[in-house]
């Protein structure tokens, strides 16, 4: 049988033996003919496919030479006697005579098409799709390059994904769902943003009894979609997720019918795409856009330096709209991705984003897991810049406060461009980093008129030029004000613009300008005009939203702030969004203000809502956040509270959180608001909320590497607790500060905080508090090689956990004792302690705790010489680490597993384990000098040539 393979390396096979085709260019010519086998392909088309739209002078001569060689190769297949290939000249081009079943891509399409035919059973469809997928042997057209090849490869990848999802759906219904998990996981790793893949994988995992992994898969794709596309998962994926959360069967949401292939919602990509949605109806700014286009050209003109542009201008003038509009148009020039962050440089209420927090967000978007992120800001910046090295990336730093805030976020790699917006002219960046400065002014009359035409239509604007002129004058050329007026006008299409202009001119213009004089008094009048058009309830909500501490807010928190049911809050929010007084975020159910509108709302609240009303609203909001954070923290780390919470205020009750993953998703979405709440609570008279919120945030911030934020939060908490003589609050704040300083490698400061916390917890008789401090001290002593001191603290931790009846804490302490005993060589005692720990961890359902205990047991059994048991324990640890998402620990466990295999002269499983571990270290971005990766490279030896 003569076969031509394109779904992998381009190969010609005759009776199972591969014939030599030749160099990559010739293989590209063969592929360019094979995709249209049975149809003539002109020489010009072939040249374009092989050499691109601008071929070299000798391309046609080279094509003739390649065709001659390929013709002789096809003639050799005639000896097979089985449907040989023939390459003939036909109709001004070349035709490759081959039956569809001789070319794998055509075989693939035939089987997929037959699987969609009506009347087939699910078993038959699954079998056909299984055969189709079996034709793939790796990257299609592997080893070939060029624009045509990339386009074809991308199209075939999509067809592959469509077929894989359809196969998984049928296979899961007629066979064991476990059979599809491996292939789907591999594909989902390659295409993390293709939602149908995640849907199929989640259904299979849930059907196989691995619901926790299914929820993890959903959380991962939701995070990636939000960060890279600013979007939520689609309705089908959300329904699968909701079904799993309810404990029901995750059935296929829409059964694939004949002729209905599954389509990816987004193109597969691994590059971060974080740009927000552009402004609808963007207009004007031709001069500024042209200047930015010139900056783009300088990215290639200056290959030795990163290019920086700083866009400055007044609040509401449209800096962000300009930057995002231009950046979205320039995306193709930055194929390695686009990073975006709102630095909230002038946000009221102290929610300005720190450089450290922004860097962590970028590292997360670049795929760096928390375990891989170094402690210090300098090291984090170094990692961030090293990840950008050699890439062409756009970094948009929106709403910056100062040059100092953005300097750590600037890429250091040639080919990158940093685009910064700020209300201040960042002259310091021009002086030290060579930034190009661009000032954005108010719209002129013509541009303002064009904006209104875009929003209202030319006929309506042309009908009353005098009214339009008055509107433009009243808005003072500020795009934000014009957008608000246009929204009002669009909502009343039958009302003449003259009536709107009259109403606007009569609006309250007596108040001073907003934001330190950056906006004019006319703009204040526009705000008041729109505010007065609101219903009384919507106006009240608008005012109270000025009290919210974070950069944006979710529906449940807004409902708590207003003291109304969520359904009513949603109706009022829709009214505010419709009037352009509030913006609905890409993440469903979240809302944000423009800074000017936030300040205006806060001033209205101070003027119209008494102290009692504002205090009650803030009380409900802080209570809602505290009870939600407490509930989420309990899912991350079950432990007794140092001070039980009183009941929440009516209307501030917490929502249900169903799982560890659900808690993580909530913390991630609300982190900025929670940190801002900690900072603002003391000034608002809620000192207890400050330290209790900081305490509830500790585990999440620690596990995700937000150690500087942890320092800030607990410093505020400590000050508040001291001011009010709250000993429990002081103890918890010292514990949080000790943990943060410990992670930041400031050991002396950490120990001082730990010891002070231990003293305070002792004073109030808190067994749970003392247990956790001894646990921290034990770990810190062990890291310093002080094993006897570590053992003493671990025993003390166990005693206090027992007194507190904290079974999860007892499990952690017992495992820690076992590990330390193993380091000291007392393996029998270590074994007993770890087995007790495992029993408790299994009772409490602590997956990550079980993983660490199994890892300890693997180490102990290996030292006892029971290699078979050690292998089993390490394998269980690896599986559990994988389920809990602890990839670094998973890699470490695989290394230990491989070492045991190697000691037993089992070379193949040893190399398999080491190779899997090496792949994980590559995913984590570890360098070849990292101790773990270096250890693996040494074991695996040089890569064969």
């Amino acid at each position: 049988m003569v076969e031509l393979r394109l779904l992998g390396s381009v190969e010609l096979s005759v009776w199972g033996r591969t014939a030599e085709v030749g160099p990559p260019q010739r293989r590209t010519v063969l592929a360019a003919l094979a995709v249209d086998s049975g149809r003539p392909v002109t020489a010009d088309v072939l040249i374009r496919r092989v050499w691109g739209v601008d071929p070299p002078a000798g391309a046609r001569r080279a094509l003739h030479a390649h065709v001659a060689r390929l013709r002789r190769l096809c003639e050799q297949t005639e000896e097979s006697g089985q449907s040989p290939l023939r390459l003939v000249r036909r109709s001004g081009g070349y035709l490759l005579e081959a039956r569809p079943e001789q070319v794998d891509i055509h075989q693939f399409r035939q089987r997929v098409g037959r699987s969609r035919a009506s009347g087939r059973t699910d078993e038959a469809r699954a079998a056909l799709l299984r055969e189709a997928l079996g034709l793939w042997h790796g990257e299609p057209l592997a080893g070939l390059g060029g624009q045509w090849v990339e386009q074809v490869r991308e199209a075939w990848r999509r067809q592959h994904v469509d077929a894989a999802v359809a196969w998984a759906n049928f296979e899961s219904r007629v066979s064991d769902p476990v059979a599809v998990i491996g292939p789907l996981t591999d594909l989902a790793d390659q295409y993390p943003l293709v939602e149908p893949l995640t849907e199929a994988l989640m259904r299979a995992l849930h059907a196989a009894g691995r619901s926790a992994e299914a929820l993890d898969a959903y959380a991962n794709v939701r995070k990636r979609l939000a960060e890279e596309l600013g979007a939520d998962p689609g309705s089908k994926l959300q329904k699968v997720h909701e079904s799993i959360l309810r404990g029901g069967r995750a059935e296929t949401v829409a059964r694939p019918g004949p002729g209905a292939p599954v389509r990816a919602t987004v193109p597969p990509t691994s590059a971060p795409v974080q740009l927000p949605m552009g402004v609808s109806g963007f207009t004007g700014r031709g001069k500024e856009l042209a200047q930015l286009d010139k900056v783009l050209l300088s990215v290639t003109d200056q290959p030795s330096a990163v290019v920086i542009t700083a866009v400055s201008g007044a609040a509401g003038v449209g800096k962000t709209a300009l930057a995002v509009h231009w950046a979205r148009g320039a995306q193709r020039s930055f194929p390695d991705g686009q990073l975006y962050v709102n630095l909230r440089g002038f946000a009221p209420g102290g929610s300005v984003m720190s450089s450290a927090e922004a860097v962590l967000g970028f590292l997360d978007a670049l795929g760096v897991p928390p375990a891989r992120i170094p402690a210090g800001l300098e090291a984090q910046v170094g990692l961030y810049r090293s990840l950008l090295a050699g890439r062409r990336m756009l970094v948009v730093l929106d709403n910056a406060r100062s040059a100092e805030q953005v300097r750590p976020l600037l890429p250091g790699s040639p080919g990158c461009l940093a685009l910064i917006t700020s209300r201040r002219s960042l002259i310091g960046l021009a002086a030290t980093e060579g930034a190009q400065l661009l000032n954005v002014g108010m719209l002129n009359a013509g541009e303002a008129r064009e904006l209104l035409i875009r929003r209202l239509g030319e006929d309506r604007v042309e009908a009353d030029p005098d009214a339009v002129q008055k509107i433009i004058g009243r808005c003072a050329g500020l795009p934000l004000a014009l957008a608000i007026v246009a929204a009002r006008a669009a909502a009343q299409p039958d009302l003449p613009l003259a009536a709107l202009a009259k109403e606007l001119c009569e609006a309250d213009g007596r108040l001073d300008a907003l934001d330190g004089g950056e906006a004019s008094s006319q703009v204040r009048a526009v705000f008041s005009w729109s505010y007065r058009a609101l219903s009384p309830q919507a106006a009240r909500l608008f005012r109270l939203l000025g009290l919210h501490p974070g950069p944006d807010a979710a529906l449940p928190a807004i409902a708590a702030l207003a003291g109304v049911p969520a359904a009513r809050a949603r109706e009022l929010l829709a009214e505010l969004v419709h009037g352009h007084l509030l913006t609905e975020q890409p993440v469903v159910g979240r809302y944000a203000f423009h800074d000017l509108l936030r300040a205006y709302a806060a001033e209205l609240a101070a003027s119209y809502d008494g102290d009692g009303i504002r205090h009650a609203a803030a009380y409900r909001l802080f209570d809602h956040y505290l009870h939600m954070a407490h509930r989420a923290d309990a899912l991350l780390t079950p432990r007794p509270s140092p001070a039980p919470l009183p009941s929440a205020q009516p209307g501030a009750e917490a929502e249900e959180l169903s799982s560890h993953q659900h808690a993580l998703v909530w913390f991630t979405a609300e982190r900025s608001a929670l940190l801002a709440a900690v900072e603002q609570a003391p000034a608002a008279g809620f000192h207890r909320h400050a330290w209790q919120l900081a305490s509830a945030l500790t585990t999440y911030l620690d596990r995700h590497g937000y150690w500087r934020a942890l320092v800030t939060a607990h410093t505020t908490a400590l000050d508040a607790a001291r001011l009010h003589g709250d000993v429990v609050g002081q103890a918890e704040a010292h514990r949080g500060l000790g943990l943060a300083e410990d992670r930041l490698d400031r050991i002396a400061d950490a120990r001082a905080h730990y010891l002070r916390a231990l003293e305070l917890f002792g004073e109030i008789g808190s067994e749970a508090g003392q247990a956790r401090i001894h646990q921290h001290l034990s770990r810190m002593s062990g890291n310093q090689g002080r094993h006897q001191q570590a053992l003493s603290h671990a025993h003390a931790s166990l005693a206090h956990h027992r007194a507190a009846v904290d079974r999860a804490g007892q499990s952690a302490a017992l495992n820690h004792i076992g590990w330390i005993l193993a380091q000291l060589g007392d393996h029998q005692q270590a074994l007993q302690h770890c087995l007790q720990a495992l029993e408790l961890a299994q009772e409490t359902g602590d997956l990550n705790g079980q993983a660490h205990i199994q890892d300890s047991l693997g180490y102990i059994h290996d030292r006892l010489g029971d290699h078979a048991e050690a292998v089993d324990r390490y394998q269980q640890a690896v599986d559990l680490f994988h389920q809990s998402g602890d990839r670094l620990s998973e890699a470490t466990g695989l290394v230990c597993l491989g070492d045991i295999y190697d000691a037993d002269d089992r070379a193949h499983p040893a190399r398999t384990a080491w190779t899997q571990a090496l792949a994980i270290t590559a995913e984590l971005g570890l360098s070849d000098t990292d101790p773990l990766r270096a250890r693996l490279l040494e074991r695996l030896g040089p890569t064969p040539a």
Side-chain angles (χ1 to χ4, degrees):
M1 184 64 181
V2 178
E3 294 178 298
L4 186 54
R5 299 171 184 157
L6 307 180
L7 300 178
S9 298
V10 177
E11 295 177 343
L12 177 61
S13 173
V14 182
W15 289 108
R17 299 179 65 181
T18 302
E20 177 60 36
V21 175
Q25 206 170 76
R26 189 173 305 149
R27 294 201 301 274
T28 305
V29 174
L30 179 58
L33 290 163
V35 296
D36 286 319
S37 58
R39 297 192 299 269
V41 185
T42 67
D44 288 338
V45 169
L46 286 172
I47 289 171
R48 189 163 58 250
R49 289 178 177 179
V50 179
W51 285 278
V53 295
D54 189 20
R60 192 170 297 273
R61 184 170 59 255
L63 174 66
H64 293 158
H66 288 311
V67 168
R69 295 290 184 92
L70 291 172
R71 185 181 288 119
R72 287 197 291 272
L73 185 64
C74 290
E75 289 170 357
Q76 296 173 18
T77 66
E78 294 179 358
E79 300 173 4
S80 69
Q82 294 287 331
S83 301
L85 301 181
R86 292 187 176 87
L87 179 55
V88 297
R89 187 167 182 84
R90 188 76 53 82
S91 302
Y94 300 95
L95 182 146
L96 180 66
E97 294 181 348
R99 300 207 313 267
E101 59 267 29
Q102 290 180 282
V103 183
D104 57 4
I105 182 60
H106 299 316
Q107 288 186 63
F108 170 81
R109 289 170 174 163
Q110 279 186 337
R111 283 166 170 75
V112 171
R114 287 164 56 195
S115 75
R116 298 173 185 155
S118 59
R120 294 196 185 277
T121 64
D122 285 355
E123 289 87 348
R125 296 182 196 277
L128 284 166
L129 289 166
R130 194 183 312 117
E131 292 172 10
L133 295 170
L135 295 168
W136 286 70
H137 300 287
E139 181 82 351
L141 307 178
L144 305 184
Q147 184 177 3
W148 175 79
V149 168
E150 289 298 330
Q151 291 173 345
V152 170
R153 183 181 289 139
E154 189 60 37
W156 292 358
R157 284 172 177 160
R158 287 195 291 269
Q159 294 170 25
H160 185 210
V161 169
D162 291 345
V165 172
W167 164 74
N169 288 333
F170 290 122
E171 190 77 29
S172 294
R173 286 201 286 267
V174 302
S175 182
D176 184 359
V178 174
V180 309
I181 291 174
L184 287 179
T185 300
D186 291 342
L187 276 175
D189 287 342
Q190 295 178 54
Y191 311 121
L193 299 181
V194 179
E195 294 187 44
L197 271 178
T198 305
E199 290 176 40
L201 177 57
M202 288 174 66
R203 286 193 291 271
L205 287 167
H206 182 55
R210 293 157 66 174
S211 299
E213 292 180 62
L215 295 175
D216 285 343
Y218 178 84
N220 289 335
V221 76
R222 180 180 180 180
K223 180 179 179 183
R224 294 288 290 268
L225 286 168
E227 292 176 343
E228 300 184 22
L229 300 176
D232 277 331
S235 60
K236 293 181 180 179
L237 190 57
Q238 291 186 36
K239 288 178 181 177
V240 175
H241 178 244
E242 291 167 2
S243 177
I244 294 173
L245 288 176
R246 290 195 302 267
R249 293 181 61 194
E251 297 290 351
T252 302
V253 177
R255 179 176 177 139
V262 180
R263 291 296 176 199
T265 57
V266 292
T269 175
S270 59
V273 183
Q274 293 191 311
L275 295 176
M277 293 182 292
V279 175
S280 176
F282 181 89
T283 187
R285 303 303 188 194
K287 178 181 176 182
E288 291 84 354
L289 291 170
Q291 189 168 339
L292 288 171
D293 287 340
K294 290 180 181 178
V295 171
L296 180 59
L297 293 176
S298 66
V299 174
T300 53
D301 292 342
Q302 300 180 32
S304 61
V306 64
V307 176
I308 306 165
T309 294
V311 178
S312 61
V317 80
K319 301 180 296 296
T320 297
L322 170 65
V324 171
H325 179 80
W326 179 85
R328 293 185 72 85
Q331 280 179 286
R332 292 182 179 275
S333 299
F334 300 97
D336 295 315
Q338 305 91 43
L339 297 171
Y340 171 89
V341 63
N342 179 3
L343 295 170
R344 308 193 299 268
F346 299 88
S351 59
V352 176
M353 181 180 288
S354 68
S355 303
E357 185 179 354
V359 168
L360 286 173
F362 283 167
L363 291 176
D364 188 42
L366 291 166
V368 182
R372 173 71 180 91
I373 296 175
L377 176 60
E378 185 176 348
Q380 291 167 2
V381 171
L383 176 59
Y384 158 65
R385 287 176 174 161
S386 68
L387 290 173
L388 266 58
R391 298 190 184 188
R392 289 182 59 85
M393 294 193 74
L394 174 64
V395 181
V396 180
L397 307 173
D398 193 18
N399 201 9
R401 187 173 187 84
S402 65
E404 289 70 26
Q405 187 187 25
V406 301
R407 279 196 177 96
L409 309 176
L410 298 176
S413 177
C416 293
L417 187 149
L419 180 58
I420 306 161
T421 73
S422 177
R423 294 185 194 175
R424 295 173 177 167
S425 183
L426 302 179
I427 298 174
L429 286 180
T432 57
E433 277 78 22
Q436 300 183 47
L437 304 182
L438 172 60
N439 183 65
V440 179
M442 302 294 180
L443 294 177
N444 60 37
E447 291 171 327
R449 185 172 175 278
E450 181 63 27
L451 186 151
L452 293 175
I453 290 174
R454 290 285 186 94
R455 303 293 180 95
L456 303 176
E458 188 170 5
D459 290 344
R460 193 174 183 191
V461 172
E462 293 287 354
D464 196 341
D466 291 339
V468 170
Q469 186 176 356
K470 290 177 182 178
I471 290 172
I472 292 172
R474 197 63 168 164
C475 291
L478 194 72
L480 174 63
L482 285 162
I484 292 173
V485 173
R488 285 282 315 280
Q492 299 171 283
D494 297 328
L495 188 66
L497 290 184
L500 293 172
K502 180 181 178 182
E503 183 183 350
L504 178 59
C505 291
E506 293 173 352
D508 184 4
R510 294 170 298 170
L511 298 176
D512 295 331
L514 284 172
D515 200 21
E518 289 188 73
S520 69
S521 58
Q522 289 96 326
V523 173
R524 175 65 68 82
V526 172
F527 292 170
S528 67
W529 177 64
S530 297
Y531 167 75
R532 289 178 177 182
L534 297 172
S535 66
Q537 285 295 311
R540 174 181 176 271
L541 177 58
F542 177 76
R543 296 193 305 269
L544 292 181
L545 279 169
L547 306 177
H548 188 276
D552 59 5
L555 175 63
I558 295 172
L561 179 69
V564 299
R568 179 55 177 156
R570 187 181 290 109
E571 294 173 359
L572 298 174
L573 288 165
E575 186 177 346
L576 296 178
V577 170
H578 189 67
H580 279 224
L581 291 173
L582 201 65
T583 302
E584 190 167 9
Q585 299 293 81
V587 178
V588 174
R590 298 196 72 84
Y591 300 84
F593 270 130
H594 187 282
D595 290 350
L596 293 180
L597 286 164
R598 178 193 291 273
Y600 180 58
E603 290 181 1
L604 287 175
S607 299
Y608 293 101
D609 299 304
D611 292 343
I613 293 175
R614 298 199 307 276
H615 184 273
Y619 201 165
R620 289 191 300 269
L621 180 66
F622 287 133
D623 246 18
H624 171 77
Y625 276 142
L626 176 57
H627 282 263
M628 284 296 298
H630 190 268
R631 182 167 291 181
D633 184 46
L635 288 169
L636 298 189
T637 307
R639 62 183 176 90
S641 173
L645 298 181
S647 299
Q649 292 291 299
E653 294 81 5
E655 301 174 282
E656 287 297 325
L657 294 173
S658 57
S659 65
H660 176 281
Q661 193 58 48
H662 197 178
L664 281 179
V665 169
W666 184 83
F667 267 132
T668 300
E670 300 292 351
R671 184 187 74 247
S672 295
L674 292 170
L675 289 171
V678 171
E679 293 300 305
Q680 293 184 29
F686 300 99
H687 83 277
R688 189 178 181 85
H689 285 79
W691 75 257
Q692 287 182 328
L693 268 173
S695 177
L697 273 164
T698 299
T699 297
Y700 170 78
L701 294 174
D702 174 47
R703 290 184 182 175
H704 288 76
Y706 295 110
W707 299 309
R708 294 179 185 276
L710 197 58
V711 170
T712 301
H714 279 289
T715 299
T716 299
L718 182 58
D719 291 342
R722 280 175 173 165
L723 185 63
H724 291 81
D726 191 327
V727 179
V728 179
Q730 292 177 56
E732 273 295 298
H734 278 296
R735 185 186 78 83
L737 284 168
L739 182 60
E741 300 289 8
D742 189 358
R743 299 302 195 203
L744 293 169
D745 205 27
R746 299 196 280 251
I747 303 303
D749 291 338
R751 184 175 295 277
H753 282 296
Y754 282 150
L755 293 177
R756 180 56 179 153
L758 189 62
E759 180 183 355
L760 292 170
F761 279 128
E763 287 180 14
I764 60 178
S766 172
E767 300 288 354
Q770 293 176 81
R772 299 201 83 187
I773 298 301
H774 279 296
Q775 187 174 323
H776 293 323
L777 288 167
S778 177
R779 177 183 44 75
M780 191 165 70
S781 297
N783 290 341
Q784 295 173 315
R786 301 173 180 176
H787 295 304
Q788 288 296 343
Q789 187 181 71
L791 189 61
S792 175
H793 282 301
H795 276 294
S797 177
L798 177 60
H800 287 296
H801 277 307
R802 282 174 171 162
V805 197
D806 181 0
R807 298 177 73 77
Q810 293 173 47
S811 171
L814 284 165
N815 181 50
H816 207 170
I817 292 170
W819 176 256
I820 298 168
L821 288 171
Q823 305 306 302
L824 293 170
D826 191 349
H827 298 116
Q828 288 296 339
Q829 283 294 317
L831 181 63
Q832 294 305 312
H833 281 83
C834 288
L835 288 173
Q836 292 178 54
L838 183 60
E839 184 177 348
L840 288 170
Q842 289 171 338
E843 286 179 13
T844 58
D846 184 356
L847 287 184
N848 197 255
Q850 293 175 51
H852 282 287
I853 297 166
Q854 294 287 12
D855 184 82
S856 298
L857 287 168
Y859 177 87
I860 294 166
H861 281 293
D862 182 36
R863 296 306 184 271
L864 289 171
D866 188 351
H867 290 184
E869 184 68 17
V871 165
D872 182 62
R873 296 292 186 177
Y874 272 127
Q875 187 60 61
Q876 291 186 63
V878 166
D879 293 342
L880 288 166
F881 280 131
H882 185 78
Q883 288 183 50
S884 65
D886 191 342
R887 299 288 279 162
L888 187 62
S889 296
E890 181 185 355
T892 304
L894 284 166
V895 173
C896 296
L897 195 59
D899 289 350
I900 297 174
Y901 283 135
D902 186 56
D904 286 344
D905 293 324
R906 298 169 66 184
H908 179 70
R911 288 191 66 85
T912 299
W914 290 336
T915 302
Q916 290 174 351
L918 188 66
I920 293 173
T921 64
E923 292 174 21
L924 297 178
L926 302 185
S927 67
D928 288 351
T929 59
D930 179 88
L932 179 62
R933 186 166 172 83
R935 186 173 158 196
L936 283 164
L937 292 170
E938 181 182 355
R939 280 161 172 70
L940 288 168
T943 303

